[in-house]
């Protein structure tokens, strides 16, 4: 498929928009100046009602095509195209769209934009491709009331007859254009280099909620200016929280938009993990201001270049800004397992993937691959070449491609030059191939041997893929890069005594592979497990979990090992421990003896930690203690520990009139316990009302988790009827509600019935954007019986040819199927292993 940019190069867009919220209409006039390279050119549009097209002030012949205006007969060379049109203002969270909120019971709107991936064409006609960079002059009029403001990529220069004019932008891609208007709170500061930083939100929020984001944004911009050795290229960097937002955040140049949950923080009551999350989201978007915005991928197949890089840099930046947080540990509990889990399923996309159709472009945004796995690839590169070569290489990369476009090869060339390594060759095997290897380490005939093969969870067709693996062994005898199928490192006994420590691979867990040690090697590691740092302990548990998921070892052999980790004070070890323990839940049926035994096991694992940490945060406690508490409280409640249930109830009772003020770190468990063990219709309604009224995103999320855990069939029915009521559940939050009910064994049937009956409505409401397929992912994450597998297939199979859904449906079938098979094969052994632990 050819791209429109091949025949037409826009240089400047003069965009006039008149937006009327009351009538929900947009009237527009776009003047595009550019160079026609052929006599037939095309310009993107979608849902635009075109009134007239002039080329060089002459009425032009045009034909409407799918998402395009075709001009079959223009002169080549410099031309000016003027297009007048109108469009509808819709609630799709794409293009130009309203966000809804309430202040003191009064309903209000904030208009914002979302143009990535291909939604700029819904706002103005354009060559809507990342390589078609141009400058933009925005002029916007709207049904303005006193007290409203408008912001955009660049500063406003004047207002004339109610039209707001903005400074001409630098050369940029269409998908990064943004503006917003309405009543807004704002706070400003300035970086050392003079960049104006601002945070904006609706007046449903308190001004103090803007402070945290403002500080992180300012320091992130300062950090990147130094790290990249390249100045921030615009006069300002605005951060705007939108009440309705489909993705997490969007890196529009100079005007980054966020979900409210990812920008606004109540400084008086926010958990450390939420602060960490919000910080990394902000630093991710601001990393893009250079990597993505200043230099942009040439086409969507190189989306990974943007996202993988920003996903690594968010950790590099926050580690520099808040060293006490040890944020790279969070990388190990979030990005690493997400990538390893999804990338093990046959049919997964590679990081670099060919793509043309707009619906397929949206489906590229696979968080576990393009973000998490891609970030691991770059972490691997960073570990290989070091920060000096990385920074010098980036500086050169920005200098040669600024205000233009690049591909992965351009980045490897820049990094290769400063590091003296053939990075492109090493990375080829990781970027172009889906999946990753398991390295088998074993002692064969007295010799230490390693081999690699692709690791799978579920049914697969092996393709004999091989990788260039940075091994990072603690034994110098292991090669730095392992590219063969198999190799022998030498006599094991000799190596063991020379090195004085158990043999290990992937030390630091920076490379994207897992290790299967044979019994002898694993026993050696376990014997010395207390000497391992937290990341190594986490890695051991993560790898064992994956090997068990892939059927390479039995969960039953892993269960007895868990006891080694239950006293760990490290939050990331606890994260891995409970992630593995929670996986055992699939082997028990509700209200069975096996479930009671598993609960007893959870009690045994968590009891000492619950007693050590207590239910409420303590002044001056370590970050690890703060972050560990949620894991053990969750475990003790699953265990139905009577003391814990009563304690949580007591705390709730004592604070019934100020529930929102309960410490944010533990509030969700207190609310959930109350609904589950002491709940009734009144309490559910009370929490639903609080949910509707609060503007605090983290409190909202806690209330959702609590309400969806009710076991009452009638209440579940009532909650499900709220799914389509945007006054209670915003479309942006619906997936989390749906998941909550579906994951509740008492609600599974109701949620599953709902999505099947209301699929058309769902598609109309949230379809067509990059988050849509994740509804299917969510279902596949939960189903575990042969019946559900059959129903899933029956329902989704006919949608296989719907653009953008094929990969997701095919993979998710494998996900459910492998879980069903694993349960059938191991249920008895796993439950016996658990029983043995509680004796
Ligand atoms: Zn991003």
């Amino acid at each position: 498929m050819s791209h429109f940019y091949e025949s037409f190069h826009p240089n400047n867009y003069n965009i006039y928009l008149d937006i009327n919220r009351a009538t929900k209409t947009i009237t527009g006039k776009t003047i595009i100046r550019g160079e026609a390279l052929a006599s037939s050119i095309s310009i993107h549009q979608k849902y635009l009602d075109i009134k007239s097209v002039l080329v060089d002030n002459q009425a032009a012949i045009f034909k409407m095509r799918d998402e395009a205006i075709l001009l079959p007969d223009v002169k080549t060379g410099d031309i000016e195209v003027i297009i007048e049109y109108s469009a509808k203002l819709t609630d799709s969270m794409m293009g130009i769209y309203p966000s809804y909120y309430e202040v003191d019971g009064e309903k209000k709107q904030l208009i914002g934009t979302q143009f990535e991936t291909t939604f700029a064409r819904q706002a103005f006609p354009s060559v809507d491709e990342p390589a078609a960079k141009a400058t933009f002059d925005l002029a916007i009029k709207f049904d303005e009331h006193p007290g409203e403001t408008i912001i955009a990529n660049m500063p406003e220069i004047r207002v004339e007859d109610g039209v707001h004019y903005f400074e001409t932008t630098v050369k940029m891609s269409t998908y990064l254009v943004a503006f917003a208007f309405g009543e807004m709170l704002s706070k400003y500061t300035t970086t050392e280099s003079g960049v104006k930083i601002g945070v904006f939100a609706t007046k449903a929020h308190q001004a103090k909620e803007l402070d945290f984001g403002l500080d992180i944004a300012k320091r992130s911009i300062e950090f990147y200016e130094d790290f990249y050795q390249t100045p921030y290229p615009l006069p300002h960097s605005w951060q705007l929280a939108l009440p309705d937002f489909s993705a997490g955040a969007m890196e529009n140049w100079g005007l980054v938009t966020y979900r409210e949950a990812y920008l606004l923080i109540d400084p008086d009551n926010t958990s450390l993990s939420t602060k960490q999350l919000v910080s990394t989201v902000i630093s991710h978007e601001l990393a893009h201001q250079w990597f993505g915005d200043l230099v942009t991928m040439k086409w969507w197949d190189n989306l990974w270049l943007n996202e993988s890089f920003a996903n690594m840099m968010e950790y590099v930046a926050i580690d520099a800004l808040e060293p006490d947080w040890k944020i790279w540990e969070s990388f190990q509990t979030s990005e690493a397992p997400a990538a390893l889990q999804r990338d093990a399923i046959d049919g997964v996309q590679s990081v670099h993937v060919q793509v043309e159709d707009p619906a397929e472009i949206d489906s590229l945004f696979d968080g576990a691959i393009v973000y998490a796995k891609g970030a691991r690839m770059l972490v691997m590169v960073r570990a290989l070449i070091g920060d000096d070569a990385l920074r010098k290489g980036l500086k050169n990369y920005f200098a040669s491609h600024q205000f233009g476009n690049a591909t992965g090869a351009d980045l490897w060339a820049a990094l290769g030059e400063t590091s003296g390594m053939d990075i492109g060759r090493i990375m080829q095997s990781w970027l172009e191939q889906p999946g990753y290897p398991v390295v088998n380490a074993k002692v064969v005939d007295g010799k230490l041997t390693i081999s690699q093969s692709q690791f799978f969870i579920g049914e697969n067709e092996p393709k004999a893929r091989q990788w260039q693996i940075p091994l990072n062994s603690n034994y110098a005898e292991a090669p730095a890069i392992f590219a063969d199928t198999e190799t022998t490192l030498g006599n094991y006994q000799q190596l063991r005594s020379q090195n004085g420590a158990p043999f290990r691979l992937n030390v630091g867990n920076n490379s994207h592979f897992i290790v299967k040690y044979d019994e002898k090697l694993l026993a050696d590691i376990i014997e010395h497990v207390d000497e391992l740092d937290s990341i190594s302990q986490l890695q051991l548990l993560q790898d064992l979990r994956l090997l068990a998921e892939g059927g390479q070892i039995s969960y039953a052999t892993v269960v007895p090992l868990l006891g080694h980790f239950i006293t760990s004070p490290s939050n990331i070890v606890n994260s891995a421990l409970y992630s593995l323990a929670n996986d055992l839940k699939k082997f028990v049926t509700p209200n069975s003896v096996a479930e009671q035994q598993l609960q007893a096991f959870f009690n045994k694992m968590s009891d000492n930690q619950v007693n050590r940490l207590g239910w409420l945060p303590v002044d001056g406690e370590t970050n690890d203690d703060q972050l560990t508490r949620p894991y053990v409280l969750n475990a003790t409640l699953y265990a139905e520990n009577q003391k814990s249930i009563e304690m949580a109830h007591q705390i709730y009772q004592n604070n019934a009139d100020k529930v929102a003020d309960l410490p944010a770190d533990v509030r969700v468990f207190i609310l959930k316990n109350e609904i589950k063990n002491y709940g009734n219709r009144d309490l559910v309604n009370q929490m639903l009302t609080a949910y509707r009224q609060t503007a605090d995103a983290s409190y909202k999320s806690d209330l959702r988790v609590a309400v969806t855990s009710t076991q009452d069939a009638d209440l579940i029915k009532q909650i499900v009827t709220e799914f389509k009521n945007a006054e209670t559940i915003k479309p942006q939050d619906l997936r989390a509600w749906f998941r909550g009910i579906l994951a509740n064994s008492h609600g599974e049937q109701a949620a599953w019935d709902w999505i099947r009956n209301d699929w058309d409505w769902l598609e109309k409401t949230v379809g067509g954007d990059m988050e849509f397929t994740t509804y299917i992912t969510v279902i596949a994450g939960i189903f575990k019986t042969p019946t559900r597998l059959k129903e899933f297939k029956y329902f989704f199979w006919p949608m296989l040819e719907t653009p953008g859904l094929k990969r997701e449906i095919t993979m998710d079938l494998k996900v459910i199927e492998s879980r069903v098979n694993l349960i059938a094969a191991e249920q008895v052994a796993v439950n016996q292993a658990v029983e043995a632990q509680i004796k």
Side-chain angles (χ1 to χ4, degrees):
M1 200 200 238
S2 67
H3 299 159
F4 293 179
Y5 184 61
E6 287 162 20
S7 49
F8 183 39
H9 285 187
N11 297 318
N12 173 264
Y13 291 85
N14 195 309
I15 297 168
Y16 169 81
L17 292 165
D18 184 348
I19 300 163
N20 191 309
R21 288 166 290 190
T23 59
K24 294 207 154 233
T25 52
I26 302 167
T27 324
K29 178 178 173 184
T30 299
I31 306 170
I32 313 173
R33 295 189 191 86
E35 188 191 358
L37 306 171
S39 58
S40 169
I41 65 168
S42 294
I43 293 167
H44 286 108
Q45 70 77 31
K46 194 177 183 188
Y47 307 141
L48 302 185
D49 187 5
I50 306 294
K51 300 278 185 270
S52 66
V53 180
L54 302 181
V55 176
D56 294 334
N57 282 315
Q58 303 279 317
I61 306 165
F62 67 94
K63 292 174 187 161
M64 298 306 285
R65 289 279 184 270
D66 187 31
E67 301 202 12
I69 306 165
L70 173 69
L71 300 172
D73 187 21
V74 298
K75 75 172 172 62
T76 54
D78 289 341
I79 59 168
E80 184 183 80
V81 184
I82 303 178
I83 301 172
E84 293 196 54
Y85 62 97
S86 63
K88 286 206 175 70
L89 187 62
T90 62
D91 295 343
S92 60
M93 297 191 278
M94 291 177 280
I96 303 167
Y97 72 91
S99 280
Y100 300 98
Y101 66 100
E102 268 184 46
V103 179
D104 303 328
E106 197 186 334
K107 292 196 165 100
K108 305 209 174 218
Q109 288 184 31
L110 180 65
I111 302 291
T113 57
Q114 170 64 32
F115 291 165
E116 191 180 26
T117 51
T118 55
F119 315 136
R121 67 189 65 169
Q122 298 183 23
F124 53 87
S126 51
V127 177
D128 193 13
E129 296 168 357
K133 286 197 173 184
T135 59
F136 295 82
D137 290 285
L138 283 184
I140 300 170
K141 190 172 185 248
F142 57 102
D143 48 349
E144 191 170 347
H145 317 301
E148 293 192 304
T149 42
I150 177 162
I151 51 177
N153 305 86
M154 297 293 282
E156 183 178 294
I157 35 178
R158 65 176 198 280
V159 189
E160 245 173 61
D161 301 329
V163 183
H164 297 258
Y165 293 87
F166 294 87
E167 224 173 87
T168 309
T169 69
V170 293
K171 250 183 112 182
M172 61 188 282
S173 303
T174 46
Y175 79 93
L176 296 168
V177 173
F179 61 84
F181 58 81
E183 290 172 15
M184 287 182 255
L185 279 178
S186 56
K187 280 202 181 178
Y188 303 92
T189 185
T190 308
T191 64
E192 278 168 29
S193 62
V195 179
K196 211 167 170 200
I197 309 290
V199 175
F200 300 79
T202 72
K203 291 186 173 169
H205 296 275
Q206 297 169 271
K208 66 177 182 180
E209 293 174 49
L210 279 55
D211 293 335
F212 183 84
L214 188 68
D215 173 59
I216 294 289
K218 169 181 183 278
R219 291 193 290 138
S220 295
I221 294 280
E222 287 170 349
F223 171 80
Y224 290 127
E225 285 199 313
D226 174 58
F227 192 88
Y228 296 150
Q229 290 293 298
T230 306
Y232 178 78
L234 306 181
H236 69 222
S237 171
W238 295 161
Q239 331 297 318
L240 165 65
L242 286 172
D244 290 281
F245 197 81
S246 177
M250 176 61 210
E251 68 266 23
N252 315 302
W253 214 358
L255 174 51
V256 182
T257 44
Y258 299 81
R259 260 186 194 233
E260 293 183 330
Y262 293 149
L263 180 64
L264 307 174
I265 270 191
D266 176 357
D268 300 324
N269 190 16
T270 297
S271 69
L272 177 57
S273 56
T274 301
K275 285 183 187 164
Q276 293 177 337
L277 178 65
V278 168
S279 302
T280 50
V281 172
I282 296 171
S283 62
H284 175 108
E285 302 309 326
L286 295 180
H288 274 315
Q289 304 299 300
W290 287 262
F291 211 101
D293 296 2
L294 178 63
V295 180
T296 310
M297 72 232 152
K298 206 166 253 166
W299 180 248
W300 296 105
D301 63 327
N302 270 300
L303 175 70
W304 69 271
L305 194 60
N306 273 9
E307 296 307 345
S308 308
F309 191 83
N311 219 32
M312 171 179 76
M313 285 310 297
E314 67 187 63
Y315 291 92
V316 175
I318 297 304
D319 192 40
L321 302 186
E322 298 289 342
D324 291 348
W325 287 356
K326 295 186 280 181
I327 201 75
W328 281 106
E329 292 195 346
S330 306
F331 186 84
Q332 297 292 352
T333 57
S334 54
E335 318 289 345
L340 290 165
Q341 180 77 27
R342 180 127 170 129
D343 204 22
I345 299 155
D346 201 11
V348 69
Q349 71 188 43
S350 50
V351 174
H352 178 230
V353 52
Q354 296 302 329
V355 64
E356 288 298 341
D357 183 82
E360 299 288 344
I361 295 172
D362 286 333
S363 76
L364 277 187
F365 284 77
D366 184 333
I369 301 303
V370 171
Y371 291 71
K373 179 184 179 182
R376 293 202 95 205
M377 306 296 89
L378 290 168
V379 165
M380 211 155 74
V381 169
R382 183 177 178 227
L384 269 176
I385 70 176
D387 261 0
D388 269 359
L390 176 68
R391 293 177 62 176
K392 274 188 206 127
L394 284 175
K395 185 177 187 236
N396 297 343
Y397 173 82
F398 290 132
S400 27
H401 303 287
Q402 57 179 342
F403 305 109
N405 299 78
T407 64
D410 295 319
L411 179 66
W412 304 143
L415 299 182
E417 215 161 280
T418 50
S419 67
M421 292 171 83
D422 190 352
I423 301 296
R425 198 174 56 88
I426 298 169
M427 292 317 290
Q428 172 98 6
S429 66
W430 295 100
L431 292 169
E432 306 296 334
Q433 303 189 105
Y436 63 91
V438 50
V439 173
N440 271 279
K442 49 186 163 194
V443 181
V444 185
D445 301 331
K447 289 192 176 108
L448 183 56
T449 309
I450 56 171
S451 60
Q452 63 162 301
S453 58
Q454 184 169 2
F455 176 72
F456 290 108
I457 295 173
E459 193 194 303
N460 59 81
E461 287 169 44
K463 296 264 181 356
R465 295 190 174 106
Q466 249 173 279
W467 285 264
Q468 302 221 0
I469 309 173
L471 280 181
N472 299 320
S473 175
N474 60 337
Y475 283 20
E477 292 79 4
I481 303 277
F482 176 47
D484 306 324
T485 337
E486 188 173 303
T487 193
T488 296
L489 305 184
N491 181 285
Y492 173 66
Q493 285 309 338
Q494 256 174 26
L495 289 169
R496 178 66 179 84
S497 66
Q498 275 166 26
N499 284 285
F503 175 65
R504 290 180 52 232
L505 292 168
N506 204 7
V507 174
N509 206 26
N510 285 327
S511 296
H512 189 55
F513 72 96
I514 60 170
V515 192
K516 185 183 176 189
Y517 299 100
D518 72 4
E519 247 172 78
K520 189 187 176 87
L521 296 170
L522 181 62
D524 193 17
I525 292 172
I526 294 286
E527 202 187 320
H528 295 86
V529 76
D530 293 342
E531 297 154 31
L532 296 178
D533 61 22
S534 304
I535 287 181
S536 301
Q537 291 190 15
L538 157 138
Q539 175 189 30
L540 194 62
L541 288 165
Q542 262 182 14
D543 286 10
L544 288 170
R545 195 193 80 80
L546 287 159
L547 292 167
E549 285 285 301
Q552 296 217 10
I553 59 173
S554 166
Y555 264 109
T557 65
V558 180
V559 170
L561 302 178
L562 300 184
H564 291 285
F565 304 91
I566 58 175
T567 56
S568 172
S570 156
N571 86 82
I572 65 164
V573 173
N574 279 289
S575 161
L577 172 69
Y578 284 104
S579 160
L580 213 161
N582 287 333
D583 272 326
L584 302 177
K585 292 177 184 171
K586 62 173 163 276
F587 296 104
V588 302
T589 32
N591 305 315
S592 61
V593 174
E595 188 184 47
Q596 285 168 15
Q597 288 168 341
L598 186 60
Q599 287 173 322
F601 185 42
F602 267 71
N603 201 36
K604 193 179 166 194
M605 282 193 291
S606 60
D607 206 30
N608 283 336
Q609 296 270 38
V610 175
N611 290 333
R612 179 176 78 84
L613 295 167
W615 264 81
L616 294 171
V618 181
D619 275 348
E621 67 185 347
T622 63
N623 288 351
D624 267 314
D625 284 352
Q626 276 184 68
L627 295 168
T628 297
R629 186 176 290 107
Y631 295 116
V632 299
L633 294 187
N634 195 36
T636 190
L637 289 182
Y638 173 74
E640 294 185 357
N641 178 301
Q642 218 42 50
K643 218 173 91 195
S644 285
I645 290 174
E646 279 158 28
M647 175 69 88
H649 180 51
Q650 195 60 52
I651 297 171
Y652 184 88
Q653 293 295 311
N654 294 346
N655 296 275
D657 55 339
K658 45 181 192 308
V659 176
D661 297 340
L662 286 167
D665 302 81
V666 298
R667 185 175 51 205
V668 66
F669 304 109
I670 297 166
L671 299 185
K672 193 174 160 185
N673 180 64
E674 201 61 19
I675 288 281
K676 220 176 141 188
N677 297 312
Y678 304 89
N680 53 35
R681 181 172 297 270
D682 283 350
L683 190 62
V684 165
N685 284 332
Q686 201 181 314
M687 288 198 194
L688 278 172
T689 306
Y691 180 88
R692 276 183 217 111
Q693 286 170 348
T694 183
D696 178 343
S698 97
Y699 182 42
K700 250 183 168 18
S701 150
D702 293 350
L703 288 164
R704 170 188 31 86
V705 172
V707 168
T708 55
S709 70
T710 178
Q711 305 186 351
D712 182 307
D714 286 339
L715 290 174
I716 285 170
K717 227 182 267 167
Q718 185 200 332
I719 296 163
V720 169
T721 58
E722 295 285 345
F723 282 5
K724 284 160 78 175
N725 178 10
E727 302 272 312
T728 305
I729 301 174
K730 283 175 170 288
Q732 66 163 13
D733 299 319
L734 177 55
R735 191 187 48 222
W737 278 89
F738 168 69
R739 194 196 177 283
I741 296 290
L742 191 76
N744 174 347
S745 61
H746 301 270
E748 184 179 303
Q749 188 65 47
W752 179 223
D753 289 343
W754 175 81
I755 203 164
R756 285 181 295 176
N757 291 331
D758 283 290
W759 185 261
D760 290 343
W761 173 86
L762 187 70
E763 203 170 12
K764 227 188 295 160
T765 311
V766 295
D769 84 358
M770 35 202 193
E771 300 291 313
F772 184 51
T773 57
T774 53
Y775 275 89
I776 311 175
T777 325
V778 157
I779 299 169
I782 290 165
F783 281 1
K784 58 173 192 172
T785 64
T787 311
R788 291 290 188 232
L789 173 63
K790 221 183 286 167
E791 291 170 353
F792 181 94
K793 188 167 183 178
Y794 182 80
F795 183 68
F796 285 112
W797 204 250
M799 297 180 201
L800 214 52
E801 298 314 317
T802 309
L805 295 189
K806 185 173 191 148
R807 187 191 301 283
E808 195 54 47
I809 293 170
T810 322
M811 282 178 68
D812 285 340
L813 263 174
K814 281 186 189 150
V815 168
I816 303 171
E817 190 180 43
S818 75
R819 191 177 299 123
V820 168
N821 292 340
L822 189 69
I823 292 169
E826 296 218 3
Q827 190 164 38
V828 175
V830 172
N831 292 337
Q832 277 170 358
V834 168
E835 193 185 352
Q837 290 303 305
I838 55 171
K839 287 230 165 96

